[in-house]
Amino acid sequence: PRIHLHTVGEAVSETGRRFADIVLHPDQLAVLTSNEPRLFLLSPPGCGKSLLLVLRAVMWLQEGHHVSVVSIHGIGSKAACQMVHHQIQQMTDPSAHQRLSLHESDAELESDALQDTVKDLLTKVDNQGRLFLIVDEAIEGWRYVFSNQNEQC
């Protein structure tokens, strides 16, 4: 529908209102609403991977689950995961923040420190054997680590 704006302020306000809503591509919406036990997103920068992770974490928190945001590989991962953690906090009620945790690890893929991180995360497994993790900027090997651990739960 066509609208009539009379001032620059009205135009700025209307533009902000229209761009404030998150617009998802149908493929992104399908990923967000799927019930897959594991989700690995791989695409070029700027495609909305982090946004999907934030939205999925918010959904899990709203369902009452504990969600762990995990940084596992260097300074880029730490920055990305801290940003994701902050965005999740901004989008959720403060009462949910006690079920949201941030785990930062510089562990190499086959180190004892990595195993300690995984063991710590496994303490977050719920009574149905589910672990709710958000890992942004992950390295490929982490898929193997968590899929192996998940099979033991």
Side-chain angles (χ1 to χ4, degrees), residues 38-58:
R38 294 183 190 100
L39 173 64
F40 296 97
L41 303 173
L42 183 62
S43 64
C47 289
K49 295 179 299 292
S50 295
L51 172 63
L52 287 175
L53 293 174
V54 168
L55 293 174
R56 178 59 74 102
V58 168

Side-chain angles (χ1 to χ4, degrees), residues 37-136:
R38 294 183 190 100
L39 173 64
F40 296 97
L41 303 173
L42 183 62
S43 64
C47 289
K49 295 179 299 292
S50 295
L51 172 63
L52 287 175
L53 293 174
V54 168
L55 293 174
R56 178 59 74 102
V58 168
M59 289 172 59
W60 286 337
L61 287 168
Q62 289 172 342
E63 294 169 359
H65 303 295
H66 181 95
V67 176
S68 298
V69 179
V70 183
S71 165
I72 45 86
H73 190 68
I75 196 75
S77 175
K78 282 186 181 183
C81 288
Q82 287 171 354
M83 180 195 70
V84 165
H85 183 262
H86 178 74
Q87 288 176 334
I88 295 167
Q89 287 180 318
Q90 296 300 308
M91 294 180 72
T92 55
D93 187 84
S95 64
H97 295 178
Q98 66 187 5
R99 294 189 320 277
L100 176 65
S101 59
L102 176 63
H103 298 264
E104 297 178 324
S105 174
D106 287 324
E108 292 298 319
L109 195 55
E110 296 182 17
S111 69
D112 290 339
L114 171 67
Q115 293 306 316
D116 291 342
T117 299
V118 171
K119 286 177 188 174
D120 183 43
L121 290 169
L122 289 175
T123 66
K124 309 294 188 207
V125 172
D126 71 7
N127 58 3
Q128 295 176 342
R130 297 176 301 184
L131 181 60
F132 297 87
L133 296 179
I134 298 295
V135 183
D136 201 357

Side-chain angles (χ1 to χ4, degrees), residues 2-22:
R2 179 165 250 184
I3 61 171
H4 297 283
L5 303 171
H6 303 288
T7 66
V8 171
E10 286 178 357
V12 168
S13 178
E14 182 63 19
T15 301
R17 185 188 67 76
R18 289 181 182 227
F19 283 98
D21 294 333
I22 296 173

Side-chain angles (χ1 to χ4, degrees), residues 109 114 138-147:
L109 195 55
L114 171 67
I139 57 175
E140 178 64 24
W142 270 80
R143 177 189 307 206
Y144 170 76
V145 169
F146 282 107
S147 64

